[in-house]
């Protein structure tokens, strides 16, 4: 191996010694220019790859932003609907409580109503209420 290196070195010195300085300088400058061109081309290709990756990521981000906006709007609509439902339920609860309070006052203040309220509920009425309850719960499902 050492002999090969020595031989190449000797041939290189003979080749260079026969050339003019200007030719050697021109070869060095051309080699340096070729290396710079190669590096610039490689850097430009890398920049193009990064631009393509950036545009893909921007498109993905736009899609994610649109999804977030869509789901945010859905959540707002659901929140409004739940608030309206809760307000309606609260109103219904107040109406039921007012009706029960009125029925208790009537039981206490009106003797015939109080007597009627103390009687047992007829079986037919109990069965009718049971069937009504089952029918309503069946419609809800």
């Amino acid at each position: 191996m050492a002999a090969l290196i020595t031989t190449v070195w000797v041939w290189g010195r003979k080749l260079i010694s026969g050339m003019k300085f200007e030719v050697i300088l021109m070869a060095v400058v051309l080699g340096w220019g070729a290396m710079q061109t190669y590096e610039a081309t490689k850097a430009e290709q890398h920049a193009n790859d990064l631009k393509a990756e950036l545009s893909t990521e921007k498109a993905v981000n736009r899609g994610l932003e649109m999804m977030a906006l869509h789901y945010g709007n859905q959540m707002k609509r659901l929140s409004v609907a739940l608030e309206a439902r809760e307000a309606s339920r609260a109103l219904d609860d107040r109406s039921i409580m007012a009706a029960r309070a009125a029925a208790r006052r009537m039981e206490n203040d009106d003797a015939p109503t109080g007597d009627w309220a103390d009687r047992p509920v007829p079986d037919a009425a109990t069965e009718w209420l049971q069937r009504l309850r089952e029918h309503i719960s069946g419609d809800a499902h």
Side-chain angles (χ1 to χ4, degrees), residues 6-7 9 21 31 33 49 59 75 93 105 110 115 128 134 139:
T6 306
T7 304
W9 180 257
F21 176 74
D49 291 346
M75 288 180 66
D93 287 347
R105 278 193 306 275
D110 187 27
D115 291 340
W128 177 79
E134 289 171 0
D139 286 347

Side-chain angles (χ1 to χ4, degrees), residues 85-100:
R85 180 176 174 249
E86 188 62 30
S88 174
R89 195 187 62 75
L91 180 63
D92 291 345
D93 287 347
R94 285 194 299 273
S95 296
I96 290 169
M97 287 176 17
R100 286 181 179 164

Side-chain angles (χ1 to χ4, degrees), residues 4-139:
L4 178 64
I5 293 173
T6 306
T7 304
V8 170
W9 180 257
V10 170
W11 285 352
R13 284 186 58 92
K14 282 182 185 179
L15 181 66
I16 291 175
S17 66
M19 289 187 189
K20 291 186 176 182
F21 176 74
E22 292 83 15
V23 173
I24 295 170
L25 183 60
M26 189 182 303
V28 168
V29 168
L30 286 175
W32 182 80
M35 285 184 359
Q36 293 302 315
T37 303
Y38 172 74
E39 290 295 324
T41 304
K42 201 165 85 173
E44 186 177 341
Q45 181 60 40
H46 183 64
N48 289 338
D49 291 346
L50 289 175
K51 284 179 186 176
E53 186 178 330
L54 180 62
S55 89
T56 300
E57 289 179 3
K58 283 182 179 178
V60 168
N61 282 342
R62 275 194 301 273
L64 291 174
E65 287 171 355
M66 294 301 290
M67 278 181 53
L69 182 64
H70 171 74
Y71 285 118
N73 288 338
Q74 261 189 323
M75 288 180 66
K76 286 177 187 175
R77 283 194 303 268
L78 287 172
S79 180
V80 167
L82 285 174
E83 287 174 5
R85 180 176 174 249
E86 188 62 30
S88 174
R89 195 187 62 75
L91 180 63
D92 291 345
D93 287 347
R94 285 194 299 273
S95 296
I96 290 169
M97 287 176 17
R100 286 181 179 164
R104 281 191 214 99
R105 278 193 306 275
M106 194 182 305
E107 286 177 19
N108 293 336
D109 297 344
D110 187 27
T113 302
D115 291 340
W116 177 82
D118 285 338
R119 285 192 237 156
V121 177
D123 291 338
T126 304
E127 289 173 14
W128 177 79
L129 285 173
Q130 183 64 34
R131 283 194 311 270
L132 181 63
R133 185 178 295 134
E134 289 171 0
H135 177 70
I136 289 173
S137 68
D139 286 347

